């Protein structure tokens, strides 16, 4: 198709410029002054259309192989495309766990068959993610974004040291799920006011930051490229800020829900249960400050779909995890950009530029188009993901994805755009 986006804002080189953009057969170009609009073109002119490089999510769960009743590569990447994402990095808590080249190849085959956007998987750090023996990092290294035991974390210091040394030699990233299981003690939500009021077992902040503290010391010792997944506590932010000041090669991510919600927002529903949990207001404020000062490098959704039954047992009994690919940008645009907390350019940097630079992704001809004035309520029953559990259900948001382009191919198009 040939589409002209009149008076749109195009993000390039870290800033937006006004232009008439020509989109033809997936290729995007500025329509220079004086050049007539092609007669065959569909012309779209709205006050607040923006075009920017496709978003990158370095932390998702696509659930294949092993758990396709929760999500498939196809449904998960369709959800990603609808949310403006052109690359996602799925975690390795699968069956079989991608801890060898043979197991990884099973996942890569599913990706080749079903992916609608670019998919760069993680390999596991340890065999079966059980923490007892290193996975075959060397064999998997050419095919993965990095290594992670997401969902469990590496409990033994010596095992993490060995993993970091190996990853450093391979030039790959360790992306750590930091959770000291000895400190979790069966908790289901943050060990805060809501847990005490409702008699629910709490998860301490120390269970996260204590392992981050250990890993930062090991990263400094080994020289490993180290990335901290789903940071949720103020102590974690302070530790990472101090480590960066010392020159440790560390980056970190947080999720949209940790930036927008805290434990005062909890309801006894599975859609509010994730790991790590929603923390206190002071933690949310620290994460926002970290996002603003560069301590928190990027936003990742930790998109973690489960079946309706698995999320129907309240805060105590539901499985951990919420979905986020279809809501991340509009929620953050609505709550951070429209309120003046963060400029739009800053949001794009944290959802594209920073992950692309840190993980070495070169996504030429990957674009997404949003209408920032489009207002609507989040309706999980309309998601393309199989997962429906989101703490943002019913929230009024701004920003609707009109089109997503991967490698010059249109992979998502809103129904409002004519063929």
């Amino acid at each position: 198709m040939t589409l002209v986006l009149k008076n749109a804002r195009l993000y390039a080189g870290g800033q937006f410029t006004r232009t008439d953009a020509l989109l033809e057969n997936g290729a995007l170009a500025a329509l220079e002054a004086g050049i007539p609009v092609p007669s065959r073109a569909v012309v779209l002119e709205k006050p607040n259309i923006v075009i920017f490089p496709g978003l990158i999510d370095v932390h998702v769960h696509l659930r294949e192989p092993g758990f396709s009743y929760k999500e498939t590569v196809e449904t998960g990447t369709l959800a990603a495309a609808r949310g403006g994402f052109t690359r996602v990095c799925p975690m390795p808590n699968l069956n079989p766990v991608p801890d060898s080249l043979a197991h990884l190849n099973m996942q890569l085959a599913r990706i080749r068959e079903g992916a609608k956007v670019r998919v760069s998987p993680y390999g596991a750090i340890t065999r079966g993610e059980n923490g007892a023996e290193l996975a075959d990092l060397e064999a998997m290294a050419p095919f993965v974004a990095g290594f992670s035991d997401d969902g469990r974390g590496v409990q033994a210091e010596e095992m993490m040291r060995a993993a970091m040394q190996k990853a450093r030699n391979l030039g790959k990233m360790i992306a750590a799920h930091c959770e000291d299981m000895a400190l979790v003690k069966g908790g289901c939500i943050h060990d805060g006011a809501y847990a005490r009021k409702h008699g629910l077992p709490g998860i301490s902040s120390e269970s996260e930051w204590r392992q981050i503290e250990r890993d930062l010391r090991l990263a400094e010792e080994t020289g490993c490229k180290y990335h901290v997944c789903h940071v949720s506590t103020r102590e974690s932010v302070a530790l990472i800020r101090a480590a960066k000041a010392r020159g440790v090669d560390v980056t970190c991510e947080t999720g949209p829900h940790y930036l927008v919600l805290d434990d005062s927002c909890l309801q006894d529903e599975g859609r509010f249960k994730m790991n790590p949990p929603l923390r206190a207001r002071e933690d949310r404020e620290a994460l926002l400050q970290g996002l603003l000062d560069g301590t928190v490098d990027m936003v990742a959704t930790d998109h973690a779909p489960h079946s309706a039954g698995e999320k129907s047992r309240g805060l105590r009994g539901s499985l951990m995890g919420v979905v986020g690919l279809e809501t991340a940008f509009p929620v953050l645009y609505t709550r951070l950009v429209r309120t003046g907390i963060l400029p739009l350019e800053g949001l794009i940097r944290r959802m594209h530029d920073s992950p692309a630079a840190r993980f070495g992704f070169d996504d030429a001809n990957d674009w997404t188009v949003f209408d920032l004035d489009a207002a609507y309520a989040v309706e999980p029953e309309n998601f393309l993901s199989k997962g429906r559990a989101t703490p943002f259900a019913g929230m009024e948001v701004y920003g609707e994805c009109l089109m997503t382009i991967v490698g010059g191919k249109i992979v998502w198009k809103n129904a409002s755009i004519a063929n």
Side-chain angles (χ1 to χ4, degrees):
M1 69 174 298
T2 301
L3 177 68
V4 173
L5 302 169
K6 295 285 290 184
N7 200 31
R9 286 189 290 160
L10 174 65
Y11 179 89
Q15 60 185 4
F16 281 97
T17 56
R18 286 279 182 186
T19 186
D20 291 344
L22 174 66
L23 180 66
E24 191 162 26
N25 298 321
L28 183 71
L31 190 63
E32 296 182 13
I35 297 179
V37 173
S39 58
R40 63 188 179 280
V42 175
V43 178
L44 185 63
E45 185 169 11
K46 294 186 177 183
N48 209 2
I49 287 181
V50 292
I51 308 163
F52 46 82
L55 304 174
I56 298 171
D57 193 336
V58 301
H59 190 147
V60 304
H61 298 267
L62 297 183
R63 304 303 195 198
E64 275 196 313
F67 306 97
S68 57
Y69 72 94
K70 299 174 187 274
E71 188 80 288
T72 65
V73 169
E74 182 176 15
T75 59
T77 55
L78 274 172
R82 187 186 192 184
F85 291 91
T86 54
R87 185 184 293 269
V88 296
C89 301
M91 288 296 177
N93 45 347
L94 302 169
N95 185 20
V97 171
D99 53 10
S100 66
L101 187 56
H103 287 169
L104 177 64
N105 278 335
M106 295 175 65
Q107 182 186 7
L108 293 174
R110 302 291 179 92
I111 291 168
R112 286 192 296 270
E113 293 165 4
K116 305 304 180 184
V117 303
R118 302 182 195 271
V119 178
S120 300
Y122 290 95
I125 294 174
T126 65
R127 297 276 183 186
E129 290 195 318
N130 62 20
E133 178 187 359
L134 280 183
D136 192 351
L137 308 188
E138 188 169 8
M140 294 188 291
F143 310 102
V144 297
F147 301 106
S148 181
D149 270 8
D150 187 66
R152 301 184 185 183
V154 178
Q155 300 302 303
E157 179 170 327
E158 284 306 311
M159 184 60 67
M160 183 56 97
R161 178 182 284 109
M164 286 187 174
Q165 290 169 338
K166 188 72 169 180
R168 178 204 61 204
N169 294 339
L170 294 170
K172 302 301 290 189
M173 185 92 64
I174 291 288
H177 173 115
C178 291
E179 184 177 25
D180 186 334
M181 297 308 295
L183 298 174
V184 173
K185 300 177 181 178
C188 61
I189 60 171
H190 175 58
D191 187 15
Y194 188 98
R196 290 189 293 272
K197 179 179 178 181
H198 296 274
L200 293 170
I203 300 173
S204 71
S205 295
E206 187 179 4
S207 66
E208 174 180 298
W209 66 257
R210 184 65 73 183
Q211 201 166 90
I212 291 176
E213 185 178 52
R214 179 203 73 180
D215 283 0
L216 290 169
R217 173 170 48 81
L218 294 176
E220 191 167 15
E221 172 190 321
T222 63
C224 173
K225 292 169 63 178
Y226 177 61
H227 179 76
V228 189
C229 296
H230 45 50
V231 170
S232 71
T233 78
R234 55 190 182 274
E235 294 91 348
S236 301
V237 175
L239 285 166
I240 294 165
R241 182 181 290 117
K244 287 187 173 190
R246 298 196 307 272
V248 179
D249 190 359
V250 57
T251 51
C252 71
E253 70 192 46
T254 194
H257 36 285
Y258 304 120
L259 293 167
V260 172
L261 306 172
D262 54 53
D263 69 346
S264 69
C265 304
L266 288 174
Q267 300 175 35
D268 190 16
E269 299 177 14
R271 66 191 182 94
F272 288 94
K273 187 176 182 182
M274 70 287 292
N275 189 22
L278 296 177
R279 303 286 186 182
R281 175 180 56 82
E282 295 82 2
D283 297 295
R284 179 175 58 81
E285 291 173 349
L287 289 166
L288 281 170
Q289 183 55 48
L291 194 73
L292 294 174
D293 68 23
T295 302
V296 178
D297 303 87
M298 60 194 81
V299 177
T301 65
D302 194 6
H303 175 86
H306 293 292
S307 70
E310 290 168 333
K311 295 298 290 181
S312 66
R313 299 188 287 269
L315 291 172
R316 187 185 291 271
S318 295
L319 294 187
M320 299 279 196
V322 295
V323 296
L325 285 167
E326 293 168 81
T327 58
F329 182 84
V331 164
L332 293 174
Y333 173 73
T334 302
R335 291 298 183 93
L336 301 187
V337 177
R338 284 179 62 90
T339 56
I341 295 172
L342 184 71
L344 180 57
E345 294 86 347
L347 184 58
I348 304 305
R349 282 195 291 272
R350 288 154 181 84
M351 297 187 75
H352 172 269
D353 298 359
S354 180
R358 179 59 165 168
F359 286 80
F361 297 139
D362 182 9
D363 297 348
N365 296 319
D366 289 4
W367 298 94
T368 189
V369 182
F370 270 81
D371 177 2
L372 297 183
D373 285 342
Y376 57 98
V378 174
E379 297 179 346
E381 60 272 18
N382 293 330
F383 286 171
L384 296 182
S385 169
K386 285 188 176 184
R388 299 290 186 267
T390 170
F392 303 122
M395 179 182 289
E396 296 289 334
V397 295
Y398 289 84
E400 184 173 38
C401 183
L402 299 180
M403 184 176 292
T404 302
I405 301 163
V406 176
K409 178 182 177 182
I410 298 171
V411 296
W412 163 256
K413 187 171 61 173
N414 189 279
S416 64
I417 299 178
N419 291 321

